[in-house]
Amino acid sequence: MVEVENAMQDLSNDVEFNTESPLNVSKDSIKLPNGGMVKATVTDSADASTGNIMPMEYVTKGFGDRRYTATYKVYHVAYPDTTLKLVNRYNISKSGLKMTSVGTGGTYAVFPTTVNPKSDRITDKYAQKEGWDINGQADYVVTVGGYNGIGLVTKTYTIRSTIKLVDLYSSSAYVLQKRTIDK
């Protein structure tokens, strides 16, 4: 568990996305001595529910609804993998950035490990000027060899997201996205 915690912390780094490409993905991984692996993935895409994705040759990531997902995954050797996710939905407009919701959908574990998402919340909703940011956060209780905080090992993790408005243009924005995990 200590090796997993250290690997998750090591994978908390800045990821810069340019909103001019249709889908941005960053993946980092660290192998564990027992043969497992911890992987951190972040994605940014137009929110599919809004229909803002155009044919590939005309795609821009301009104003509209967006989804930024930070994923931490622990690959186990003998049983299915554990996944912690923080899904951030936000909007880009001429007024800047607005966080519309955060959630933990896609968080997953199989016994002997369990994950209980305890809370998710928007900690800063508006970035109306360049240099300002919006933030989301979720807390998780991970238990090995038990359930809901009662077991052999129990740890609480917090994933935080930051989406900073770097430049605002007439129909798009350039943002810096960052995710961290605390134990």
Side-chain angles (χ1 to χ4, degrees), residues 57-133:
E57 60 270 22
Y58 302 125
V59 170
T60 63
K61 291 185 177 180
F63 291 167
D65 293 328
R66 312 258 340 137
R67 181 178 55 222
Y68 170 65
T69 304
T71 304
Y72 287 87
K73 186 175 257 191
V74 179
Y75 292 85
H76 305 290
V77 176
Y79 55 96
D81 307 324
T82 302
T83 302
L84 305 178
K85 280 192 177 188
L86 173 59
V87 180
N88 305 269
R89 292 183 185 271
Y90 66 101
N91 180 273
I92 301 173
S93 71
K94 65 181 178 178
S95 300
L97 307 177
K98 177 183 176 183
M99 186 77 78
T100 56
S101 70
V102 295
T104 58
T107 296
Y108 176 80
V110 172
F111 189 81
T113 303
T114 61
V115 176
N116 186 7
K118 294 303 259 184
S119 65
D120 56 61
R121 62 196 162 281
I122 297 171
T123 56
D124 191 357
K125 191 170 189 167
Y126 299 101
Q128 298 159 323
K129 295 182 181 181
E130 292 172 349
W132 290 14
D133 56 42

Side-chain angles (χ1 to χ4, degrees), residues 142-157:
V142 178
T143 305
V144 178
Y147 182 73
N148 204 19
I150 301 171
L152 298 173
V153 178
T154 298
K155 296 289 181 180
T156 301
Y157 296 95

Side-chain angles (χ1 to χ4, degrees), residues 8 10 44 48 72 75 77 90 129 133 136 140 146 159 162 166:
M8 290 174 111
D10 289 344
D44 177 69
Y72 287 87
Y75 292 85
V77 176
Y90 66 101
K129 295 182 181 181
D133 56 42
Y140 311 81
I159 298 177
T162 300
V166 177

